[in-house]
Amino acid sequence: MRRTGGEARPPPDRHPHAATQPVKQSIAAVLLVLVAFLLFSLAFLPWASWLKPGRDSETAAYLTTVLTWSLWLVIAVPVAAAVALRWGGAVNDFFRLAIRRIGDLPERRFAATCALVFGSMALTLSWVLFRQNPHLVDTIAQLFQARVFANGGLTAPAPRELEFFAASHLVTHAGRWFSQYPPGHPALLALGLLVGFPWLVNPLFAAGTLFVGFAAARRLIGQGGAKLAVVFYMISPFVLFMSASYMNHVTTGFFLTLALYAAIRVGENSGKMRWASILGLALAAAATIRPLESAAWAMVLGCWVLARRGWKPAFVVGSCCFIGLLPLLAFNELTTGNPLRFGYTLLWGEGHGLGFHTDPWGEPFTPMVSLVNSALDLQRLNAFLFEWPLPSLLFVLLALVIGARESRQRTTVGLLAGLLLAAPIVYFFYWHRDDYLGPRFLYASLMPAILLTAIGVIAIDQRFGRWQAAFRLTLAATMLFALIVNVPASAGVIAGMEPEMKAHPEAQARDLGVDEAVVFVKTGWGSRLVGRLWGWGVSASEAEQTFRAVDGCRIQSALDSADSAASVRSDSAQVRANLIQQLRDWRQAGLIVEKGLLPDGSVRVDRTRAMSGRCVQEIQQDRSGFTLYGTLVWRNDPWLRSGLVYARYLERDRNRRLLDRYPGRDYYLYTPLSPERGAQTVLVRLGPEEE
C-alpha cells in the first residue's frame, strides 16, 4: 500500500552526512579534471621552447619524440584496425586466453616470480651498463659515506692535504669529512660493503618494491589490474636502469611504496593501529634517504588517513614518523651541529634550500625557471617512463578523466593523482634539476603513474567494443617496439656514458700484487684548480661560481700567488681572505669567458687575455690525456690509512708534500694510455725522480 501522507523518513542506513557526499564528489571530480589539464599542459606542450628557447638539445629532442608519436599513430592504428576487421575474433580469443592464464596464476607466486626476474635483470644490467660502479657524483659521495659507516664511524678526520683528496658533495667541517647526503641510503650501501656486494642493494630493493607494489595495487585496482601494473613496472626502462644503478631514488621508492600499502591497510580499517605505525616508520625511513619526497608523500597519505579513519590513526602515524626520524636528527646534530641542518645546506649555504632566490651556483632561480624545469621533467617522464612510440602518460590522463566521470573509481584515482603530483609540486620550489637515466627527481611519481596507467588501459579496453582487438593490437605492438628498438638503443647510450667511471683500478693492482700504495690520479686542469680552491678553504658554492665565471688562467695565478704568500707569511687566514676577495672581484666584473676550447673543456678561457707560461704548462699536461678523480674517492679508506690511497696528481713539488705521510710505500700514476676519451687507464710505477 502506498503512503499518502505523513512525514517522509530517510532510509535507516543513511549516513548522517550523506547530504554532503554529492558536493564532495563533485569537488573531487573537478579537481581531477584540473589535475588532468595541468598534467596535459606541462607534459605535452613545449613550454621550454616557448619560455626558454636556449635549451636547444632538450627541446629539439622532445619535438623529435612528438614526431615519432605522430608517425606511430598514423601507421599503427590503421594497420591494427584493418587486422581487427579481418581477424578480430581470433585476436580477442588469443588475448582472452593470455589474460585468463595470467589471471589463474597464484597471486603471491606471480609477484615473487616477477620480483625475482626483475631483480636478476637489474643485477645483469648493473654489470653490463655500469660495470658495478657508481656513475654520478651523488652516488660516489654516498658510497664514501657508506665506507665510513662500514668502518664504524659517522665521520672521518678530514685530511690536511685536502687539495689531493677532496671531491664533490663531501663536506669538511670541524676537522671532519663526510657526505652531504642524509644517512639512510649510505647505511644500506654499508651493509652491501660489509658483505662485499654493494651493487646488490638497489636490485634487491627494486625487486622488493615490485612485490609490495603488487600488494598495494591488488587492494586498489584488483588482481587483474595489479598484474598488469607489475608488467608495466618490469618493462619500464626508467625503473630498470635506475634499479641497476646506485641511486638513492630506488631505496626511497621501496619505503614510499611500503607507506602506500600501509596507508591502504589503515584505510581498510584492518589492524589500523599496527599499519599506522608501519606507515609512519616507512615515511621516516624514506626521509632518512630523500627527505623532500617523503615529506610530500606524508602530506598526501596523512590527509588520506585522516579523512578515512580520523585523528587517532593519523596521530599514530605522526608519532611513529617522529620516532623514526630521531636517528636522522641525531646524525645531523653530530655532523652539522644542528638536528635540522642537513649536510648539503652546510656545504652549499642557504641558497641550497627551497624558495626563489639566487642558487648556490650564482644563478637566479625564479618561478619562470621553475616552470621550465617542471615542464622538461614531465616531458621527459612522458617520453622515458616506458619509451613507447606513444606518450607514456597518455593512459594516466585517461585514468584521471575516468576518475572524474565515475564515482566508484574516484577515491582510488584521487589518491594516486595526489601521489603522482606530490614530488613535482615540492620540486617546483627547488632550484636544481637533473636528468640522469630519466627525470630522476620524479622517480617517486613512478609507482602512482604505473598504477594509473593500468587503470587507464583497463578502462579503455572495456570501452572499445568492436574495436577492442584493434586497441589491444596497437598497445601490444607499442610495447614490443619499445622493448625491441627503443630500450636497447637507450641501453647502448647508457653503456657508452662516462667510460672513465667503468674502470676497476683495484683489479689492476691485484694483478700487479700491489695492496699498499699511493696512487696519483692524472686529472684534468679543471679538477686540479677546483681541488686547490677547496684546499684553500674556498666554499663549495664560491668555488663552483668561480670556476663557471672566471678564466682558468686567472684562477691558476691567484692560487699560485696565495701559495707563494703563505710560504713567506704566517698569517694564512689573511692570505685566504685575500684570495677569496680576489675571486669575488673577478666574478663581479662579469668577465667574458668560453668553455670547450681546451683539452679539459670544462675550464673557461678569456680570449682577450694572453696565456701565461704557467698556464700553458698545465694545458700541455692535459694534452697527453687525463681521467677523473671523483670516481675513485669512495675506494679510499676514509681515514686514508691503509690499502690503495688515491690522490690527485698536482705538481711534482706539491706531490712531494704528500710523500712524508706515507713513508716506505710505492707510488703509482693512474693515467690513460692516450688522450682519447675512454682510453684504457693503467697503473704506472713512479720512480724517485718522478714522484
Side-chain angles (χ1 to χ4, degrees), residues 290-293 295-296 299 342 344-345 349-360 365-366 370 422-432 441:
R290 298 188 66 82
L292 199 57
E293 290 158 22
M299 287 187 285
F342 289 89
Y344 28 70
T345 304
E350 295 302 321
H352 195 282
L354 298 179
F356 302 112
H357 49 246
T358 300
D359 69 30
F365 178 58
T366 65
S370 183
I425 288 173
V426 295
Y427 279 121
F428 186 83
F429 301 98
Y430 182 60
W431 62 277
H432 186 46
F441 285 173

Side-chain angles (χ1 to χ4, degrees), residues 115 118-120 122-123 184-192 197-213 233 239 242-258 282 285-286 289 443 447:
F118 184 80
S120 300
L123 283 172
H185 190 64
L188 297 172
L189 292 175
L191 297 176
F197 306 108
W199 39 269
L200 274 174
V201 171
N202 269 9
L204 288 176
F205 273 88
T209 302
L210 184 152
F211 192 82
V212 177
Y233 182 91
V239 174
M242 288 287 281
S243 300
S245 74
Y246 282 90
M247 299 297 288
N248 65 4
H249 305 266
V250 178
T251 49
T252 306
F254 170 80
F255 290 110
L256 292 180
T257 304
L258 178 60
I289 304 172
Y443 193 84
M447 186 58 71

Side-chain angles (χ1 to χ4, degrees), residues 510-528:
R510 282 197 303 268
D511 293 342
L512 294 171
V514 177
D515 55 10
E516 294 275 342
V518 175
V519 178
F520 286 108
V521 182
K522 189 171 185 291
T523 64
W525 191 17
S527 176
R528 300 194 296 273

Side-chain angles (χ1 to χ4, degrees), residues 303-430:
C303 290
W304 162 269
V305 169
L306 188 62
R308 301 279 290 185
R309 294 300 167 199
W311 67 268
K312 288 185 179 179
F315 177 78
V316 173
V317 172
S319 300
C320 290
C321 187
F322 176 76
I323 293 171
L325 287 173
L326 291 178
L328 172 62
L329 300 177
F331 178 82
N332 287 346
E333 172 66 32
L334 293 171
T335 54
T336 71
N338 186 326
L340 300 180
R341 180 167 60 185
F342 289 89
Y344 28 70
T345 304
L346 180 63
L347 180 64
W348 294 99
E350 295 302 321
H352 195 282
L354 298 179
F356 302 112
H357 49 246
T358 300
D359 69 30
W361 296 348
E363 301 293 334
F365 178 58
T366 65
M368 191 67 71
V369 172
S370 183
L371 177 60
V372 172
N373 289 345
S374 299
L376 285 172
D377 273 343
L378 286 167
Q379 287 166 10
R380 303 288 282 183
L381 186 66
N382 204 9
F384 291 106
L385 174 57
F386 299 116
E387 295 203 35
W388 291 343
L390 291 175
S392 292
L393 298 180
L394 175 62
F395 294 105
V396 173
L397 287 175
L398 294 173
L400 294 173
V401 173
I402 289 165
R405 288 171 56 89
E406 298 183 2
S407 58
R408 63 186 181 88
Q409 295 267 33
R410 199 163 295 153
T411 300
T412 295
V413 172
L415 171 63
L416 295 175
L419 296 176
L420 176 73
L421 292 183
I425 288 173
V426 295
Y427 279 121
F428 186 83
F429 301 98
Y430 182 60

Side-chain angles (χ1 to χ4, degrees), residues 23 118 132 152 179 187 264 278 354 366 435 652 661:
V23 176
F118 184 80
Q132 297 172 345
S179 164
I264 294 168
I278 294 173
L354 298 179
T366 65
D435 190 75
R652 190 170 299 173
R661 179 169 175 173

Side-chain angles (χ1 to χ4, degrees), residues 70-95:
S70 303
L71 290 174
W72 182 258
L73 286 171
V74 169
I75 296 171
V77 172
V79 171
V83 173
L85 284 173
R86 180 67 178 85
W87 297 288
V91 169
N92 276 332
D93 288 343
F94 170 80
F95 280 106

